Amino acid sequence: DNLRAASAVLSMGVTTLTGLEGNIEIPGGDANAAATWLAAEDANAAETVPTFRKVSMSIKDVAAYTDLTRRMIQQSTIDVEAYVRRQIDRAMAEAIDLAGLQGSGAAGVPRGLKNTAGIGSVVFAAANPTWGEIVDLESDVAAANALLGRTGYLSNTNMNGYFKQTVKAAGQGGFIIEGNGGGLNGHTYRQSNLVTAGDLFFGNWADMLMGLWGGMALDRDVAAKFLSGGVRLRAIQSVDFAVARVGSFSLGNDGV
């Protein structure tokens, strides 16, 4: 089989909402209520006005189809239909993952984490971050009182190689990442080539929401290719992404 980029979003622990019907609006906080001290025994309390916002998700569809000719089915030495079904399944998963990370939010594509307004940011001095800049991402989220939940870093594989070959600080032993499958700065760490080279995400991934309207429909049709005796395989899935609290995430890169 062909090699594909590793899926990352689900492995980071995003919150999945299944069985949705219609567009979704989830209430969330915007500005907190605040209390003030009374200047005198008979002073009046000051009014506090918390404000609210909506986290919205709407149905967006991702789809793929492939036609198999009659001879392809008859002459294949493997179960070619099952093979193509697996290919379509992986293609769908990759498209959904990519949209969750960097979807544009236009032309029927979900808005991904990278293009969500209000998330934190750290500018790296070079293409790959220093140890201090890695910690700055954590500090950025902590400054928003959001350092909780399923926290973790997510990078591209090129940056992962850099982490394995670079010490944390001059004169100190120990690389940024030791071995395979370890954490980073005390948090979960994953890598995927679906992440743009040079980007490093950090945050509480439980605050990233993935909404699913039904399961993926993978259907087989002979009518479309009836005259030639072929088969059409088509998959479609309704999905959207949203960020519950933008302060829960920070994105680092060199700004280029």
Side-chain angles (χ1 to χ4, degrees):
D1 202 355
N2 298 327
L3 298 175
R4 290 184 179 272
S7 178
V9 171
L10 287 179
S11 70
M12 295 303 297
V14 301
T15 298
T16 304
L17 307 177
T18 60
L20 300 180
E21 296 181 3
N23 296 337
I24 302 300
E25 292 184 344
I26 303 170
D30 185 28
N32 293 329
T36 57
W37 293 96
L38 302 183
E41 178 182 356
D42 198 34
N44 294 326
E47 181 182 9
T48 180
V49 183
T51 58
F52 302 91
R53 61 188 174 87
K54 293 185 294 186
V55 178
S56 302
M57 287 191 289
S58 59
I59 295 176
K60 297 175 178 64
D61 299 316
V62 59
Y65 83 88
T66 298
D67 288 337
L68 304 179
T69 66
R70 177 173 173 271
R71 289 187 181 181
M72 183 184 297
I73 297 170
Q74 285 184 324
Q75 296 178 346
S76 62
T77 57
I78 63 171
D79 188 342
V80 68
E81 185 172 330
Y83 169 79
V84 173
R85 283 174 178 266
R86 289 194 299 270
Q87 284 278 317
I88 292 175
D89 182 68
R90 289 293 306 278
M92 293 283 286
E94 189 172 301
I96 292 170
D97 220 58
L98 186 61
L101 290 174
Q102 56 189 51
S104 65
V109 180
R111 185 175 304 281
L113 180 58
K114 185 173 182 176
N115 292 313
T116 298
I119 68 170
S121 65
V122 171
V123 179
F124 299 155
N128 290 310
T130 63
W131 175 251
E133 290 168 340
I134 293 170
V135 176
D136 285 344
L137 285 167
E138 178 194 48
S139 300
D140 192 31
V141 171
N145 299 316
L147 193 60
L148 46 84
R150 294 191 285 271
T151 55
Y153 290 88
L154 178 62
S155 81
N156 181 275
T157 56
N158 289 334
M159 188 176 290
N160 180 72
Y162 162 82
F163 288 159
K164 288 186 174 183
Q165 301 176 69
T166 305
V167 295
K168 293 181 179 180
Q172 296 183 11
F175 295 104
I176 293 175
I177 289 179
E178 300 282 356
N180 294 317
L184 176 60
N185 187 30
H187 301 277
T188 298
Y189 170 69
R190 298 286 186 272
Q191 57 170 316
S192 172
N193 281 327
L194 295 175
V195 178
T196 301
D199 284 352
L200 179 62
F201 293 96
F202 176 77
N204 170 22
W205 293 85
D207 273 352
M208 184 173 180
L209 310 178
M210 181 173 73
L212 295 171
W213 287 260
M216 186 181 76
L218 180 53
D219 297 315
R220 183 181 193 272
D221 179 40
V222 296
K225 301 291 291 180
F226 174 75
L227 293 179
S228 62
V231 171
R232 174 165 292 177
L233 300 175
R234 187 223 60 204
I236 190 166
Q237 170 74 64
S238 298
V239 63
D240 197 15
F241 289 92
V243 175
R245 291 178 287 205
V246 292
S248 293
F249 292 94
S250 190
L251 171 62
N253 55 40
D254 62 2
V256 177

